[in-house]
Amino acid sequence: MTLITGGAGFIGTNLADRIAREGGRVLIYDNLSRAGVERNLKWLKQRHGDRISVDVADIRDNERIEAAVAQAVRVFHMAAQVAVTTSLADPLTDFQINAAGTLSLLEALRKRHKPPPLVFASTNKLYGECVARDQLSEEATRYRPRRLGLRRGIDELCPIQLVSPYGCSKGAADQYVLDYARAFGIPAAVMRMSCIYGPRQFGTTDQGWVAHFVGACLQGETITVYGDGKQVRDILFVEDAVNAYLLVQSHMPQISGQVFNLGGGPRNAVSLLELLALLEGLTKTKPKVRFDNWRHGDQLYYVSDTTHLRRATGWQPTVSYTRGIAQLHHWLSGFLGTHTLHRERVPA
């Protein structure tokens, strides 16, 4: 059985759906704290029945996570507190979930005679302000690196710069996973993700900004852009992300103890302003936008260099951001025909 912690979330749901469609059994371990995830569970159960098992429990519950790990032949660890803003409001809970919760999972794995392989969902926030403002040119709709080398993206050799409690807690978890692979021989790898988007994502202003922008445009809501909107991210369609996670698992233990950047790369790099213009073309309506101050820890420019992942596994993105956004727009249009989106902030 495949264990997915945080499996009712956006990426976990898409990953569980793929595994179940291919005939596998999945144990979803989730405390259901994020708005909308109950819908994901219902959808999975309706599609796959007994292939989906659910344990509604918290990653901080040592006994429950140990019992879940005891059933697993492989593990994807996605359970997390996911918002920088929430970490600033409640750093202690953020640490307990992201750092201490990951350590509890690792200890449960270490107790197994033959630990199942683990892939951990980390974040590009570990790199902090990896590209400084003075390294960027400001253009009409985006920031662009002055140096050609930076335009190829940020690789895994970029020094870690932990900014915000969220960055610190995820950074601690990231390093614990890598060290448990080295010190205890647990087959494990780390995926430092950029912005993943696609169906089953219920975005908010705090996390999942691509889906939040699409949903707000469809519902005629005002979008708040923090900063000037020229900040750039490489965005990756969720099916490409699922492919990457499964490929990394399939290449264990050869790549155990390694870290991989996961994102859309330079070809899928887009600024907030450019995404809004794309949405205007899809919806035939100009999005309502207001601007506010920059937020703490917001990167002006982040684009992943995924060369290491490609060389290790053969992975590369296949869905362009224009095609992927159109698919997300289509899915959300249908979803909103029968549902409403939750707009509360991400809970701790």
Side-chain angles (χ1 to χ4, degrees):
M1 180 177 291
T2 299
L3 170 62
I4 306 177
T5 71
F10 157 54
I11 300 175
T13 295
N14 280 276
L15 178 59
D17 179 54
R18 171 75 70 81
I19 293 168
R21 277 191 282 123
E22 294 176 352
R25 295 173 60 238
V26 180
L27 172 57
I28 290 177
Y29 186 100
D30 201 300
N31 69 356
L32 307 185
S33 63
R34 184 171 172 84
V37 295
E38 298 92 341
R39 294 168 174 171
N40 285 340
L41 275 186
K42 182 179 179 181
W43 178 76
L44 283 170
K45 292 293 287 184
Q46 288 174 339
R47 281 171 66 85
H48 303 296
D50 292 342
R51 287 181 182 171
I52 303 293
S53 300
V54 180
D55 189 356
V56 180
D58 197 285
I59 193 66
R60 294 166 288 183
D61 188 327
N62 294 342
E63 292 184 2
R64 295 283 288 274
I65 193 61
E66 188 172 330
V69 166
Q71 305 174 60
V73 297
R74 59 179 177 176
V75 180
F76 296 92
H77 179 33
M78 310 220 169
Q81 189 297 110
V82 294
V84 171
T85 49
T86 301
S87 79
L88 290 164
D90 189 357
L92 181 58
T93 299
D94 173 81
F95 175 85
Q96 291 169 339
I97 295 171
N98 291 348
T102 298
L103 187 56
S104 294
L105 172 62
L106 289 167
E107 279 294 281
L109 290 166
R110 190 162 73 97
K111 290 178 180 178
R112 291 276 301 267
H113 173 67
K114 187 178 180 181
L118 166 70
V119 182
F120 171 58
S122 189
T123 173
N124 65 19
K125 293 294 184 184
L126 270 65
Y127 297 125
E129 192 178 359
C130 50
V131 182
R133 185 179 286 271
D134 62 7
Q135 296 176 289
L136 299 167
S137 297
E138 184 176 352
E139 300 181 354
T141 61
R142 64 158 58 195
Y143 292 103
R144 190 182 302 276
R146 298 178 189 275
R147 288 198 296 112
L148 183 62
L150 282 176
R151 296 181 188 179
R152 290 193 289 267
I154 309 304
D155 65 22
E156 294 83 358
L157 297 178
C158 179
I160 290 176
Q161 303 177 47
L162 302 181
V163 180
S164 82
Y166 171 75
C168 292
S169 66
K170 290 293 285 188
D174 178 301
Q175 295 300 294
Y176 264 112
V177 171
L178 294 175
D179 195 61
Y180 266 59
R182 300 182 189 113
F184 302 116
I186 292 175
V190 168
M191 308 285 270
R192 292 180 184 160
M193 292 189 293
S194 192
C195 301
I196 315 299
Y197 70 97
R200 315 307 310 177
Q201 185 177 39
F202 305 106
T204 70
T205 57
D206 296 297
Q207 198 270 339
W209 67 275
V210 176
H212 170 62
F213 276 25
V214 177
C217 285
L218 285 169
Q219 296 181 109
E221 298 176 351
T222 298
I223 296 170
T224 300
V225 171
Y226 296 95
D228 55 20
K230 297 181 181 182
Q231 55 265 51
V232 170
R233 300 289 182 271
D234 63 319
I235 62 177
L236 181 68
F237 193 64
V238 67
E239 282 297 311
D240 281 329
V242 166
N243 290 340
Y245 273 93
L246 292 173
L247 277 169
V248 168
Q249 272 282 12
S250 71
H251 282 76
M252 294 283 191
Q254 298 94 329
I255 59 175
S256 180
Q258 296 186 43
V259 58
F260 300 95
N261 288 345
L262 176 62
R267 291 184 178 180
N268 292 294
V270 62
S271 74
L272 275 62
L273 294 180
E274 290 164 351
L275 181 62
L276 289 169
L278 176 61
L279 291 176
E280 182 176 351
L282 286 171
T283 62
K284 310 303 181 185
T285 304
K286 189 174 182 63
K288 301 175 184 177
V289 179
R290 62 177 294 269
F291 290 86
D292 205 339
N293 296 329
W294 290 97
R295 296 188 295 187
H296 179 70
D298 197 9
Q299 298 155 311
L300 291 180
Y301 183 91
Y302 182 85
V303 172
S304 304
D305 181 345
T306 60
T307 301
H308 182 42
L309 179 60
R310 175 175 56 79
R311 289 175 176 170
T313 68
W315 177 88
Q316 58 184 355
T318 61
V319 180
S320 68
Y321 79 86
T322 52
R323 183 158 65 93
I325 294 298
Q327 289 187 42
L328 175 58
H329 175 268
H330 176 75
W331 177 80
L332 266 175
S333 296
F335 181 87
L336 289 170
T338 55
H339 301 80
T340 58
L341 292 177
H342 292 272
R343 287 304 188 199
E344 61 264 35
R345 297 172 74 85
V346 175

